[in-house]
Amino acid sequence: MLALKELLGSKLKFSLIALAIGLVVSLTMVTSAMSEGLLTGMSGAKSSLAADALVFQRDTYPTLERSILTANDLKVIAATPGVMSVYGVGHTFATVGSAEEPFDVRILGLGDRFDQLPIVEGTGEPGPGEAVVDVTAKLQGVELGDTLTLTPVNAELTVVGFTEDRRYVMVPALFVSLSTWEDLHVASVLGRVEDEGGADAEAGARMAREFAGSASIAAIELEDGVSIADVEREFDGSYALATPADSARAGNGMPEMILAVGGIQVVSIVIGALLVGVFFYITTLHKTSQVAAVKAIGASNAHLYRELIIQITILVTVATVFGTALAIAAGAGMPPMMAFDPDPVRWATSVLAIFGTAYLGSLFSLRSILRIDPATALGRTEP
Amino acid sequence: MLEVRNITKSYGEGRTRVTALDNVSFTLGKGKLLAILGPSGSGKTTLVSIIAGLLGPTSGEIVIGGHAVHLRTASQAARFRREKVGLVFQDHHLVPYLTAMENLLLVPHLSGRVTRTHRELADTLLADFGLTARAAHKPSLLSGGERQRVAIARALMNAPEIMLVDEPTSSLDTERGLQVVELLKAQVHERAMTCLMVTHDPRMAAHADESLTLIDGRATR
């Protein structure tokens, strides 16, 4: 009764408190979501590959950029006991030179597994010379049906669909068929050679033959009951193996970035939670004479603790809902290039930390009040 | 019947030891209003706090209605205050976000539940104290005298055996102060309660049935 009455009786005061806590919740959530979004932007195209594991060329793990698997490698991997299915994933660099302002992209060839892409516009089945593009490319003016001219490979791709959350190293990924990737990859290498004045048609033709049926890495799905370690043993060091999530968190400066981002998240949660804890400690301490008076007329300590817990629970719950809504609204208002990827686990962690310190701060404060001399707590002054 | 037997209260140890109450004894019967006089720091509030069970004595006994108060645990003392004691503070200490009526109903609420009987009693007390029209007002909208009357009415909600009233008139002018004391005295006589009223004002004390003076923690009648 008292807890609710006090909340309703001092609406402005408690609304401001809820606003302050809500902003703290919002801050921790936005910080966390933007940090996660940064990681998604760095490696979303790799971490979201539909596979139990990714197989890399030996000694290149986890570098997608350096790995190359021949057609024979893919056959060997497919024939490995415990491997249920395999599809190749190719990677190469390019620049979209036809845009008003040229921008970098990463080209990813997918072997017959385009069903894994979440399509937000157009189709998800690119034919030869066609691409499904990450939606962030729209910020560069790319539209459905556009023909993109890639440099230095001097090739053209028609945009047939848009997907989302598929960036790699912060630039949009272009998904093409594996055969289109082969052409682009060879052209990319030859283009560089040509630029350096060493074009060799015969070498180019040989390279095209060598790359036929190849991929940068292989994405595999395992049979039931088979672990990655089992397949790794079967490979016996011939290939490197990792889950998509693990491989996404390695290379391209990702370990350092993850440490930095993790540090930002921890610091924001700790500071936010401490602020709320100290805040509740002080606001509860301000009620010293009121608590002492209610105690003096017969309230038990248990009753006072219960009322305080009810009040904190209501207040922090309202603040959390408000803060979460605010953070989600902020995220929705951000442009696609500003990565915002709320993580429920981190959100729950920050909310739990805030609840925890709110309880600790206020209960510790009440404990202090209940320990002092009642006459002092009542603020009695001798006339 | 209130019996205060050889109550001593000391704070600190050794050289820093301060004796707030020194072997205080007295007895007060039902239907009596006792004024406790004394200068600042003489131990008046300490004595009231000990009788209310808010503080424990260093030695001595408090017996109310044949039961020792000083031996109770904190939760027993809280229950004792809820059921047997009416407390009125120097600065009224009404709960600011509750109306006058809700402040009265706070007492049965702390005991577990508020019944229709409690509401009727609160209505009656507010009427007796001339506060019916102010029942729905919060303390910030009441005058000083009205707040103190609400505080006394709240103290009567549990039909206490003993009333402990700490400087009820210190924030009131003489006229309103005397009104409050007369009101208190009438209630004490009507309800046959035992009442201790701490005051520094001899004019207020003159309206009590008995008086006791505390000086440096020692009592003289």
Side-chain angles (χ1 to χ4, degrees), chain A residues 145-169:
Chain A
D146 281 0
T147 297
L148 309 178
T149 304
L150 305 181
T151 58
V153 295
N154 198 25
E156 290 186 339
L157 287 177
T158 304
V159 179
V160 295
F162 283 105
T163 184
E164 62 183 354
D165 295 332
R166 296 295 190 279
R167 285 195 290 164
Y168 189 59
V169 197

Side-chain angles (χ1 to χ4, degrees), chain A residues 225-263:
Chain A
V226 175
S227 68
I228 291 178
D230 294 336
V231 176
E232 203 160 24
R233 270 194 298 276
E234 293 289 342
F235 284 159
D236 194 26
S238 301
Y239 305 101
L241 201 63
T243 64
D246 285 344
S247 69
R249 289 175 180 271
N252 294 322
M254 285 297 283
E256 296 79 6
M257 186 177 286
I258 288 167
L259 271 177
V261 160

Side-chain angles (χ1 to χ4, degrees), chain B residues 109-189:
Chain B
H109 168 74
L110 293 176
S111 295
R113 60 194 281 259
V114 178
T115 64
R116 178 181 287 186
T117 310
H118 292 129
R119 292 182 193 284
E120 287 169 359
L121 174 61
D123 277 334
T124 305
L125 281 169
L126 287 173
D128 289 350
F129 283 63
L131 293 163
T132 301
R134 314 293 269 164
H137 288 73
K138 289 184 179 168
S140 58
L141 298 174
L142 302 175
S143 69
E146 285 172 332
R147 286 178 204 161
Q148 208 53 283
R149 278 186 279 156
V150 173
I152 294 171
R154 181 175 69 179
L156 292 170
M157 272 300 290
N158 56 346
E161 287 182 19
I162 183 163
M163 281 274 281
L164 301 170
V165 187
D166 190 5
E167 296 284 2
T169 61
S170 63
S171 58
L172 305 177
D173 58 37
T174 304
E175 186 185 342
R176 286 194 173 78
L178 284 173
Q179 283 174 0
V180 167
V181 172
E182 285 299 333
L183 186 69
L184 188 62
K185 188 177 174 183
Q187 292 291 331
V188 169
H189 290 170

